[in-house]
Amino acid sequence: MTIQSGSVMSARDRSSQAGNKRNALRWDLTPDDIRTSTDSLINRVKAVYDDIGSLKIENVSVENTLKALAHAKLDYASSLHVLDFPQYVCPSKEVRAASTEADKKLSEFDVEISMREDVFMRITALQKKLQDNLSPEEKRFLDRLVTLGKRKGLHLSKDMQEEIKRSSKLICKLSIEFNKNLNEDNTFLVFSENELGGLADSFLNGLDKTADGRYQVTLEYPHYFPLMKRCHNPETRRKMETAFHSRCKEVNTAILEQLIQLKAKVADLLGYSSHANYVLEINMAKNASNVSDFLDSFYETLKPIGVKERKYILALKKRDCLMKGYRFDGQINAWDLPYYMNQVEQCKFAVDKDKLIEYFPLDVVTEGLLGIYQELLGLKFTEVEHAHVWQENVKCYSARDTETGEEVGQFYMDLHPREGKYGHAACFGLQPGCRGPDGKRRLPVAAMVANFTKPRKGWPSLLQHHEVETYFHEFGHVMHELCSKTTFSEFSGTLVETDFVEVPSQMLENWVWEKEPLKRMSRHYKDGSPIPESLLDKLIASRVANTGMMNLRQVVLGKVDQSLHSSPRADTAEVFAKHCQDILGVPATPGTNMPASFSHLAGGYDGQYYSYLWSEVYSMDIFCSRFKKDGIMNPKVGKEYRRVILEAGGSVDGVDMLKTFLGRGPCQDAFFQCKGLKSQKTPTL
């Protein structure tokens, strides 16, 4: 099963992005350096807040309050990356540990400065004083500061503020612990060659072996997903599925269930009926009721398709068990689903995955991907020679505008797994692309972190097609970060509404389902030959394979997330099991707890996981209405997209960006048509 992998990653609810100096990022700090720099940053920013907080109310101005805050936030965002990013990528465990501790300390500081009542009073006074003398982005920034202050309870009593502050600090600390546990998990299973029947030589050759010749299979994506999709042996798949959804089960279940209680408590203190309603208030969706309606409408559309697909999968399993001599238990188990969904693709669409992977060596995909993005967005990428990086295989690139030659920003590519590294695929914003105190644009920097198979002797890194899709998705986030041209760091890059943040990256996934770009990013790893036309046609046709079950899986995750964050407390394993059975029609594996390894729940998507489906509706509308219609490699449309959607960052509401680019309000038709589902002819929320 393909789970939507990847998110715009940050350590603190995507409220801070780091950096301010061009090509001055240091990755050689010692744990002591990190501790010293953390204290220095805190003291520097606190001094600015102290100055603003001591102003006489009648003396507040744009210069001494609004701009002073903007510069402090930029300074903070510009120094943060060296301190909190290494925990996800640094090869040194000691540096990762120091980075995690710095993250905890800075998280507490975030809470402290966000709850400065003295500063809030000056901001509200400035808002009353200045009604019409601000630029649109200045007004948006000021209004946002007031809104965020109220959402921290700064209009409430001192006792309630202190309670909110204590709980918020603990929430930050626990969220970091939750994700640290997952990053540090190094579980692996050992199987004989016979137990791994059905897996390709290219996969087996990439595995480490034990002294007695058996294979070590980790729970990292490049091992887990190919095994679950291809291994004939149901017992092997059961063991892998059980281990995968038992990662950090004991410790993270306790953390997650404590987080749910704490967030419900804070929401209640702030006057909200649930944490979900609290977080959704500043999203496009606005409230939990709208999200529930959205997910329910999807479920109703997908339900009959899911029933049909499950019947077909069960028939495949029955036949498979008969042919291979396995006992048929009459049901679809969680460890059956990825395997038989892969079989559906082979039976209905005849997609030869073993053959297909040979045409997607990582270096060829990278070359094609960079070329497509450059052509589409009017950019030129150049690898930075002798760049300072955190690990020898990481590459750094400079991006320039093709017309002006002006440098737009820089990005890093860290594409292979290693011990202690962040285990999913994500874009990390490292420096904001906004205006500095001198009025000049600060160049943004971002990093794409992924876990594609490492090359081995005689075998290059070969990507599954779904990994190519993930690559395009995450690089879409990188471009959102790099193309941003906002005044304030608060709105830079991906700092948009959470249910809009996936729109640009999901929109660009469409290129991996179109012939022209697929040809540009593929060549056989041995002789450089192109993908046969027949295989290409079958791959593109297979886009609608399992569309009911895959999207029902997204409904399950969205519903689980909403349920957990609409309650004062929850049994997370029970909630997940119930929704799996009720919506997907597949029982959760006994003894496991998927939410305990669901990093989104403690990584900024709490109460907001529906965003993936929600934003995919918009992304399909953009693609079909503009790019598909006018040419998917049309540079005119690409540049308009860069200007209207990417450069604006969060300085404009998502729905207003959509209306400008589409020339109308968005609707769901394109999504359902693309998925091979019945069109609903219904406008989105």
Side-chain angles (χ1 to χ4, degrees), residues 436-631:
D438 56 4
K440 295 179 181 177
R441 180 176 181 256
R442 296 298 176 92
L443 289 179
V445 180
M448 181 180 160
V449 177
N451 286 277
F452 301 134
T453 307
K454 289 180 183 177
R456 289 287 184 109
K457 189 178 179 181
W459 288 93
S461 174
L462 298 174
L463 302 190
Q464 300 280 350
H465 180 258
H466 74 85
E467 292 179 301
V468 178
E469 188 173 43
T470 295
Y471 200 167
F472 258 71
H473 175 98
E474 296 307 335
F475 199 75
H477 285 311
V478 172
M479 290 297 98
H480 201 175
E481 292 285 351
L482 258 64
C483 292
S484 169
K485 286 188 176 180
T486 60
T487 301
F488 301 107
S489 60
E490 196 85 356
F491 302 130
S492 178
T494 57
L495 292 176
V496 298
E497 300 104 312
T498 304
D499 48 7
F500 188 79
V501 74
E502 299 297 335
V503 171
S505 48
Q506 286 180 330
M507 197 280 291
L508 286 149
E509 288 177 20
N510 288 288
W511 271 252
V512 307
W513 294 102
E514 299 284 335
K515 266 194 180 181
E516 183 187 348
L518 276 170
K519 287 179 178 177
R520 289 178 61 169
M521 66 180 91
S522 60
R523 287 195 301 275
H524 197 278
Y525 78 96
K526 283 184 179 175
D527 59 16
S529 59
I531 298 182
E533 203 74 17
S534 60
L535 187 55
L536 207 52
D537 289 337
K538 288 170 184 174
L539 171 64
I540 292 168
S542 74
R543 187 174 194 180
V544 299
N546 304 303
T547 190
M549 294 299 280
M550 285 196 293
N551 284 286
L552 280 170
R553 169 74 173 179
Q554 289 300 92
V555 172
V556 167
L557 297 179
K559 283 280 191 183
V560 167
D561 175 40
Q562 286 296 300
S563 176
L564 296 179
H565 293 106
S566 295
S567 310
R569 61 186 54 80
D571 180 328
T572 51
E574 185 181 298
V575 169
F576 180 73
K578 181 181 185 306
H579 283 88
C580 256
Q581 186 63 64
D582 293 352
I583 296 171
L584 202 59
V586 176
T589 303
T592 65
N593 185 21
M594 182 272 179
S597 57
F598 191 13
S599 59
H600 290 76
L601 298 180
Y605 276 77
D606 44 312
Q608 303 166 92
Y609 190 80
Y610 74 92
S611 298
Y612 281 98
L613 265 182
W614 178 282
S615 56
E616 193 174 359
V617 169
Y618 295 130
S619 71
M620 292 310 305
D621 202 4
I622 289 174
F623 177 70
C624 293
S625 302
R626 294 298 314 273
F627 287 98
K628 189 80 170 170
K629 183 180 174 186
D630 298 326

Side-chain angles (χ1 to χ4, degrees), residues 389-452:
V389 293
W390 51 87
Q391 200 268 347
E392 60 183 4
N393 294 323
V394 176
K395 292 184 177 181
C396 179
Y397 293 83
S398 169
R400 293 185 178 273
D401 183 274
T402 49
E403 287 184 7
T404 65
E406 175 190 10
E407 188 169 26
V408 171
Q410 294 189 345
F411 61 91
Y412 295 91
M413 304 278 258
D414 184 353
L415 303 179
H416 299 297
R418 58 181 174 271
E419 187 177 350
K421 181 184 165 184
Y422 178 72
H424 305 279
C427 164
F428 291 75
L430 301 179
Q431 290 187 170
C434 61
R435 201 175 296 164
D438 56 4
K440 295 179 181 177
R441 180 176 181 256
R442 296 298 176 92
L443 289 179
V445 180
M448 181 180 160
V449 177
N451 286 277
F452 301 134

